[in-house]
Amino acid sequence: MCQKASKKAPLEHALYQLYFDPDMERKNVAQKWLTQAQTSARAWSFCWALLSPDKIPEVQFFGASTLHTKISRHWSDLPADQHESLRMQLLSHILHFSSGPKMVLTRLCVALASMALNLIPQAWSQPVADMVRAFQPQKPDSEDGSGAKAPQDPQSHCLALLELLTVLPEEFQSSRLAQARRGQLREALAGEWAVVCPMLRQLLQSQDSSNQVKEKVLRCLSSWVGLDVALGESHELVQDCFTALSNPELFDMAVETIVNAISQPDCQRYVNALVNLLPLVLGLHDQLKTAAQNGDMETSHGICRIAVAMGETHSRVLLEQVDHWQEYLALVNMILFCTGIPGHYPVSETTSSLTLTFWYTLQDDILSFEEDKQAVYLQVYRPIYFQLVDVLLHKSHYPSQEEYESWSSDDKEQFRIYRVDISDTLMYVYEMLGAELLSNLYDRLGRQLMDPQQSAVWQDTEALLFGFQSIAETIDVNYSDVIPGLIGLIPRINISNIMLADTVMYTIGSLAEWLADHPVMLGGILPMVLQGLVKPELSVSSVSTLKRICRECRLDLGPYAQDILTVSQDVLVKEIHKSSQCMWLMQALGFLLSALPAEEILGRLHSLITPHVQQLDTLAQQEPNPANKQSIIHILGMLSSLFTTLDINRQTDGLEGAASPRLTPPQSTQNPVVVVLQQVFTLIQTILSKWLHDSDVVEAVCGVFDKSVRTLLHDFGPMVAQLSEMLGQIYSAFPQASALDLARQMVHIFAGEEHHISNIRSLIEVLTSTTLNIFQQGPRDHPDIAESFMHLHAQILKRKPDLYLSDQLDVKALFYCGILSVKFPETPTVKAASMFFTEFLSRCKDVPSLGDVLQRDGKLLTETILQAVGGGSPRSLTEHFSEVLLSLNRHCPALLSQWLKETLQTPGFPSAQVSTEQKHTFTQQLLREQTNKRRVKEIVKEFSLLCRGLQGSGYSDY
């Protein structure tokens, strides 16, 4: 006993530190020590001392938690002859703590539940019956068999029993179990439902049961339905739950339980039970209407959840019950009422959003029937879907401007997401309603705009346009006969209201492809877009719409180009738009300029960018400061965006190969983008001289050239020499990943061209030499450079492997850089290194210097990859390592066989968890696969799990 007391003191001291000491460091030390104590063999005994009645609840809780830890994780440590006494002790303590504290009682129940899962079914065949028996009220002088007197408060021990029965399925669901054992336990527990169900029903129906007991019954049922217990055996209990909905104290729990019970897909096997529940759900309609009228959001929300669970989970089954079609139709109408429930989401109602996925499900099920049957259902349900469209458009209405401004930013964001969901639903519903839906919307819009009284309510117009836009955004409306009329109506709309104007812009944008096929209509629409472009509050919608029009209709914008450029230049100089919208606008203008006559492009390009280049020149003369930096990055970003889309060769694609003399400039004429880049090159060098050590500015500069190379391709040729020289200089002075990425683009485009190869070779030699120095000094702080360097050399190997014939490129050092990069924890770097080695191995036979390095250091590569697979790197990277192993096997199988044998014969490598036999099996399996990528991934993944001791643990799925 003295020894126990001495052990108890430091434990309690550590617990007091954990719970009450304000010092976080001491708390952390205590927690670490206590965690170790829980795993020790002593924990089986000291936990009972901590559960002593004289201890504070926090100490008792730790005792109960320790019991659960020991039972769930160290069960095999306990001899089988002690199982019965442990069970009796646990039951005794649960009875003792039945009146509280609640947290201790729950942990003890979880511990007993965990014990039951270890013993069922062989060593404990009827756990529920035994538990119920242990909690039967005893006579005052009787004992429960463990020496402790049973409590005399029937309510307390009833609640304790219900707690125990509730946590039993929960502990099963949360436990990590092998699949076969999980199936065995699920079957055994489902068999226990025959004991649990009648007892729950009796307690729920009893007049003597308190609300507390009834709530616990509902919670217990909710827990058990998670085990897929048969609805056929419990539908009467579920029916009883509906009576609890009239009790405000039980309402929330009753809703949760009913929804859980009827949401089990397995319920569809019990059609009669479902049909019997349907009238009970319909019987809630009056309660729902009353709640909606009174603004009782909680009640309407709960009833809606029940209706949707019934309608959505069992839509197909209930549709097929033709004898009950009117009841299911009534349920659909009940859900339609929920969709259109009064109030503005999410401020005065939160119910309607619950119903949207139901309409998808119902439509899918109706359209999945064979044609004859489908026609009958469409006759019944198409009118409801037209009603649904009206309801959804009404629900998408903005409140008044004044009310909307009073909403919090969170409410506004939720409303925005809600409208997106409505938009998706409308788009989906179009599949069922077709062209008639668009005609319906068009007729209503026409009536509204012709009637001054109706058009005064801007929300109605906005909602109809929102409906059009939702459909046109994703459905091909090019053949719709109402779009010309709609385009004619749009200019009649007064866009003084910002939210209406926003939707008008997005609607025009959604019709950009239609306008490309009907360019004669552009004249009536473009002025509205340009009118919106000058308003900061319409920034996103007007700029994105102009970009879509310029992209889709660029070949027909010649007559409007001057107006578009004038307005755009004006808003850019006045800085009306935020930076990201300026980038979009420049992309739009790139599309526009691309399609103009060749002789006009350079002049218009100069007038567009001159104000910004002048500003850049002024900034370049000033001393660096944060404000200047942002302005420089902004202007460089605008140039990048412009050069992303300004492609004079793209116009030919637009004409589907049709020849046009104005589209192809004479070969002697340089690309306008190249002319501009050459003109600003000195300015860019000046900026770099001052900002060379700022990675953001260097990245922005590289971005201008990167976007130009990607767009112009071989037309960029005149810039290669000076850009190669500049890139080499800036990287030597201050290495940055963006320079390597730009070099990779240049290799991709120009490495195959004889007149550029000397510049490319010189650049690669400078970049490689500088990067090798970084690797020698320790590259760990530069994962981005390692990643970009690996990508660069993978590209060289793919496009121009004979660059490695140069004496200036140290192939052996490059190989070691790859080895170091494989060991990085960052996924992108490892992926890039794997790609490098895959390309490297494929070129070894063609380039002798590569083959020599592989012969000498291939074993090191194999060893590095195996070490990573065996636990040296995160499991998520295993897929990339498998690609390197496959490549080794494909290109040098004999060498790989030798290297595997030599490396894997080392004891404990790559992990002490794998046996010699398992390593041999892995080698044989791997060497058999030279083409099947998927199979190699499986082999390597399985070996990785074995190395980490996770095979068959349940972790292998994570």
Side-chain angles (χ1 to χ4, degrees):
M1 288 298 290
C2 294
Q3 189 181 3
K4 266 192 185 177
S6 66
K7 296 289 182 194
K8 183 179 68 175
L11 260 174
E12 289 193 50
H13 175 70
L15 284 166
Y16 273 85
Q17 268 193 329
L18 177 65
Y19 290 120
F20 305 116
D21 196 319
D23 187 311
M24 280 309 296
E25 198 170 328
R26 284 203 291 267
K27 273 182 185 292
N28 290 336
V29 170
Q31 184 166 26
K32 193 172 179 183
W33 187 84
L34 287 165
T35 303
Q36 289 172 340
Q38 278 188 320
T39 59
S40 70
R42 298 191 333 269
W44 287 108
S45 55
F46 74 60
C47 59
W48 299 111
L50 297 179
L51 284 162
S52 172
D54 60 336
K55 305 297 182 191
I56 61 170
E58 288 80 1
V59 171
Q60 294 171 332
F61 177 78
F62 183 78
S65 294
T66 300
L67 258 176
H68 175 241
T69 301
K70 299 305 291 180
I71 291 169
S72 59
R73 296 183 193 170
H74 307 104
W75 179 248
S76 58
D77 297 349
L78 192 71
D81 60 3
Q82 293 182 28
H83 290 175
E84 185 58 25
S85 64
L86 175 63
R87 183 169 74 174
M88 298 311 292
Q89 273 182 294
L90 265 171
L91 281 167
S92 169
H93 278 76
I94 290 170
L95 284 163
H96 173 78
F97 282 99
S98 62
S99 52
K102 172 76 166 60
M103 62 180 184
V104 181
L105 172 64
T106 300
R107 291 316 290 168
L108 287 169
C109 288
V110 171
L112 183 56
S114 186
M115 182 179 183
L117 296 180
N118 283 314
L119 297 175
I120 295 171
Q122 293 87 349
W124 196 356
S125 56
Q126 295 180 310
V128 172
D130 291 347
M131 290 172 187
V132 172
R133 197 161 35 251
F135 282 84
Q136 289 297 326
Q138 306 289 320
K139 291 178 184 174
D141 58 347
S142 102
E143 295 185 349
D144 63 9
S146 60
K149 293 222 172 178
Q152 295 310 301
D153 177 4
Q155 164 127 329
S156 291
H157 75 235
C158 180
L159 288 169
L161 174 60
L162 289 169
E163 179 71 15
L164 182 53
L165 294 178
T166 302
V167 300
L168 182 57
E170 291 172 353
E171 182 67 5
F172 165 76
Q173 301 284 19
S174 63
S175 295
R176 290 195 182 279
L177 299 162
Q179 199 170 353
R181 176 63 178 154
R182 181 171 288 278
Q184 183 189 35
L185 274 175
R186 184 185 290 278
E187 191 180 337
L189 287 172
E192 295 292 292
W193 180 239
V195 181
V196 178
C197 185
M199 185 188 79
L200 296 183
R201 194 158 186 228
Q202 182 187 345
L203 287 169
L204 199 57
Q205 290 179 335
S206 170
Q207 298 292 320
D208 299 332
S209 295
S210 65
N211 280 344
Q212 200 180 356
V213 167
K214 288 182 177 179
E215 184 179 359
K216 204 73 194 158
V217 167
L218 294 167
R219 199 179 294 277
C220 188
L221 169 56
S222 201
S223 176
W224 279 82
V225 294
L227 295 175
D228 298 333
V229 293
L231 182 66
E233 296 169 22
S234 49
H235 74 276
E236 290 173 329
L237 176 56
V238 177
Q239 287 176 3
D240 293 341
C241 295
F242 278 83
T243 59
L245 291 169
S246 56
N247 184 330
E249 286 183 40
L250 299 177
F251 181 83
D252 290 344
M253 196 61 237
V255 167
E256 204 63 46
T257 304
I258 293 167
V259 167
N260 285 345
I262 60 181
S263 295
Q264 301 299 323
D266 191 52
C267 294
Q268 295 181 4
R269 291 193 296 141
Y270 306 100
V271 176
N272 290 338
L274 284 172
V275 168
N276 289 336
L277 288 172
L278 201 48
L280 294 173
V281 178
L282 295 175
L284 301 172
H285 204 159
D286 288 341
Q287 192 179 350
L288 172 65
K289 285 179 179 172
T290 305
Q293 284 166 2
N294 297 338
D296 180 353
M297 287 165 66
E298 287 76 14
T299 301
S300 53
H301 193 87
I303 294 174
C304 175
R305 283 185 63 201
I306 293 170
V308 169
M310 177 62 92
E312 190 173 334
T313 313
H314 311 296
S315 165
R316 175 97 190 187
V317 171
L318 293 171
L319 278 170
E320 288 174 333
Q321 305 312 305
V322 288
D323 293 342
H324 299 276
W325 71 271
Q326 287 175 307
E327 286 167 281
Y328 187 58
L329 181 61
L331 179 66
V332 172
N333 277 306
M334 184 175 172
I335 295 172
L336 182 63
F337 176 84
C338 294
T339 307
I341 206 156
H344 268 115
Y345 183 93
V347 175
S348 51
E349 68 91 1
T350 54
T351 299
S352 56
S353 62
L354 302 176
T355 65
L356 298 180
T357 53
F358 163 75
W359 299 107
Y360 287 71
T361 306
L362 177 60
Q363 179 174 314
D364 284 348
D365 287 335
I366 290 171
L367 296 181
S368 69
F369 287 120
E370 57 276 13
E371 207 169 318
D372 293 349
K373 206 169 180 183
Q374 189 185 120
V376 176
Y377 284 111
L378 285 174
Q379 202 174 350
V380 175
Y381 287 101
R382 259 175 69 90
I384 289 181
Y385 271 83
F386 273 111
Q387 287 179 55
L388 172 66
V389 171
D390 290 345
V391 166
L392 290 175
L393 293 179
H394 182 73
K395 292 299 293 182
S396 71
H397 274 200
Y398 280 96
S400 68
Q401 193 81 33
E402 188 182 356
E403 185 185 340
Y404 187 68
E405 284 168 5
S406 73
W407 285 12
S408 68
S409 57
D410 186 47
D411 286 339
K412 287 177 181 175
E413 176 59 11
Q414 281 194 56
F415 183 60
R416 186 194 68 76
I417 294 167
Y418 176 66
R419 278 173 53 102
V420 170
D421 292 340
I422 286 178
S423 176
D424 292 343
T425 311
L426 288 168
M427 179 270 292
Y428 205 76
V429 163
Y430 180 82
E431 188 185 349
M432 181 184 274
L433 302 182
E436 194 181 339
L437 172 56
L438 288 177
S439 301
N440 187 310
L441 296 175
Y442 172 67
D443 291 343
R444 287 172 58 186
L445 184 63
R447 285 197 300 273
Q448 259 185 30
L449 294 177
M450 298 303 172
D451 182 340
Q453 281 189 314
Q454 283 193 48
S455 58
V457 184
W458 66 267
Q459 285 96 334
D460 292 339
T461 307
E462 192 279 333
L464 287 167
L465 283 174
F466 172 72
F468 263 115
Q469 179 219 328
S470 302
I471 295 161
E473 201 65 67
T474 44
I475 305 290
D476 181 5
V477 294
N478 277 10
Y479 304 104
S480 168
D481 55 1
V482 303
I483 302 300
L486 174 63
I487 295 284
L489 284 175
I490 284 177
R492 301 178 64 98
I493 298 170
N494 178 348
I495 60 169
S496 56
N497 179 280
I498 293 305
M499 286 175 278
L500 173 57
D502 231 12
T503 303
V504 167
M505 292 297 147
Y506 284 125
T507 305
I508 295 171
S510 70
L511 297 170
E513 287 183 37
W514 186 91
L515 287 166
D517 291 336
H518 306 82
V520 71
M521 307 296 280
L522 280 165
I525 286 292
L526 266 173
M528 287 191 86
V529 179
L530 297 179
Q531 189 186 337
L533 201 62
V534 301
K535 296 182 178 179
E537 55 272 33
L538 294 179
S539 181
V540 175
S541 59
S542 61
V543 173
S544 65
T545 295
L546 182 64
K547 181 181 168 185
R548 290 176 79 167
I549 289 174
C550 288
R551 184 180 65 219
E552 302 298 336
C553 311
R554 60 183 180 274
L555 299 175
D556 299 292
L557 289 178
Y560 315 104
Q562 187 58 55
D563 289 344
I564 294 172
L565 284 164
T566 302
V567 176
S568 298
Q569 283 170 285
D570 189 47
V571 298
L572 286 168
V573 170
K574 290 179 179 172
E575 298 183 356
I576 283 174
H577 300 292
K578 289 181 180 175
S579 185
S580 54
Q581 276 73 58
C582 291
M583 306 305 157
W584 292 358
L585 185 51
M586 284 304 233
Q587 287 176 15
L589 299 176
F591 286 124
L592 176 67
L593 290 171
S594 299
L596 293 180
E599 63 275 9
E600 288 183 27
I601 295 176
L602 189 57
R604 290 191 184 276
L605 179 57
H606 271 138
S607 65
L608 171 63
I609 66 170
T610 296
H612 308 293
V613 172
Q614 287 172 347
Q615 188 188 355
L616 197 59
D617 195 18
T618 306
L619 292 164
Q621 308 309 319
Q622 298 170 4
E623 285 307 305
N625 66 61
N628 286 358
K629 173 182 169 177
Q630 289 311 313
S631 300
I632 288 169
I633 289 173
H634 173 72
I635 295 168
L636 291 171
M638 288 206 298
L639 292 175
S640 296
S641 298
L642 179 64
F643 298 156
T644 302
T645 54
L646 207 173
D647 180 10
I648 60 173
N649 297 317
R650 185 190 279 127
Q651 24 187 323
T652 319
D653 307 336
L655 291 180
E656 297 177 3
S660 170
R662 73 174 177 82
L663 293 178
T664 311
Q667 288 305 306
S668 58
T669 307
Q670 281 195 338
N671 190 293
V673 172
V674 172
V675 174
V676 168
L677 286 174
Q678 288 174 331
Q679 289 169 348
V680 299
F681 200 82
T682 308
L683 172 55
I684 284 175
Q685 287 179 308
T686 306
I687 290 168
L688 283 172
S689 68
K690 291 194 173 183
W691 292 90
L692 185 58
H693 292 272
D694 190 300
S695 58
D696 295 331
V697 174
V698 174
E699 190 175 331
V701 168
C702 290
V704 173
F705 293 105
D706 183 77
K707 295 293 189 293
S708 305
V709 173
R710 288 170 185 268
T711 307
L712 302 183
L713 304 176
H714 296 282
D715 282 0
F716 188 82
M719 294 293 303
V720 169
Q722 57 193 137
L723 181 57
S724 296
E725 186 183 353
M726 186 184 83
L727 261 185
Q729 289 169 353
I730 64 173
Y731 191 79
S732 301
F734 193 69
Q736 291 182 46
S738 52
L740 295 171
D741 294 335
L742 177 52
R744 175 159 55 107
Q745 283 303 320
M746 292 172 69
V747 167
H748 179 62
I749 307 297
F750 298 108
E753 296 188 13
E754 274 308 308
H755 55 292
H756 290 307
I757 192 63
S758 62
N759 290 312
I760 297 292
R761 180 182 285 110
S762 301
L763 173 60
I764 297 306
E765 287 171 359
V766 170
L767 297 179
T768 302
S769 167
T770 305
T771 310
L772 291 179
N773 287 334
I774 294 173
F775 270 88
Q776 282 169 355
Q777 292 161 18
R780 185 63 203 91
D781 294 334
H782 306 284
D784 55 338
I785 288 179
E787 177 195 344
S788 296
F789 187 61
M790 289 292 104
H791 276 307
L792 171 62
H793 277 280
Q795 185 69 265
I796 296 167
L797 286 160
K798 188 182 289 186
R799 299 283 294 166
K800 196 69 176 171
D802 54 4
L803 281 178
Y804 294 101
L805 300 173
S806 162
D807 295 337
Q808 301 299 312
L809 284 179
D810 186 343
V811 178
K812 183 179 179 184
L814 198 57
F815 191 90
Y816 280 111
C817 289
I819 295 286
L820 288 171
S821 299
V822 164
K823 296 179 178 180
F824 272 55
E826 288 84 1
T827 300
T829 308
V830 174
K831 190 175 180 180
S834 303
M835 201 179 297
F836 163 74
F837 278 119
T838 303
E839 292 295 338
F840 186 100
L841 293 164
S842 70
R843 297 294 187 178
C844 281
K845 288 176 182 169
D846 308 329
V847 184
S849 58
L850 301 185
D852 294 345
V853 170
L854 181 66
Q855 287 277 353
R856 191 171 57 249
D857 293 316
K859 181 182 173 184
L860 174 63
L861 173 60
T862 308
E863 190 178 317
T864 304
I865 296 293
L866 289 175
Q867 191 169 21
V869 167
S873 293
R875 269 176 52 212
S876 58
L877 301 176
T878 305
E879 180 180 329
H880 306 301
F881 303 135
S882 69
E883 289 175 10
V884 180
L885 289 169
L886 174 62
S887 200
L888 279 164
N889 198 26
R890 188 177 286 167
H891 300 291
C892 48
L895 286 169
L896 177 63
S897 175
Q898 178 190 328
W899 294 330
L900 285 170
K901 185 178 177 183
E902 290 172 7
T903 52
L904 290 174
Q905 71 184 10
T906 308
F909 181 86
S911 160
Q913 303 268 7
V914 281
S915 65
T916 304
E917 188 183 343
Q918 287 170 325
K919 289 194 269 191
H920 178 71
T921 303
F922 166 68
T923 302
Q924 296 304 108
Q925 288 179 328
L926 186 63
L927 291 172
R928 273 199 295 269
E929 299 294 341
Q930 291 192 334
T931 55
N932 192 333
K933 202 174 186 179
R934 184 183 57 79
R935 178 67 188 128
V936 171
K937 281 181 188 174
E938 288 171 0
I939 292 164
V940 175
K941 179 185 174 184
E942 191 174 338
F943 186 64
S944 180
L945 290 169
L946 283 170
C947 289
R948 297 163 200 259
L950 298 175
Q951 187 70 333
S953 65
Y955 282 91
S956 52
D957 299 327
Y958 290 82

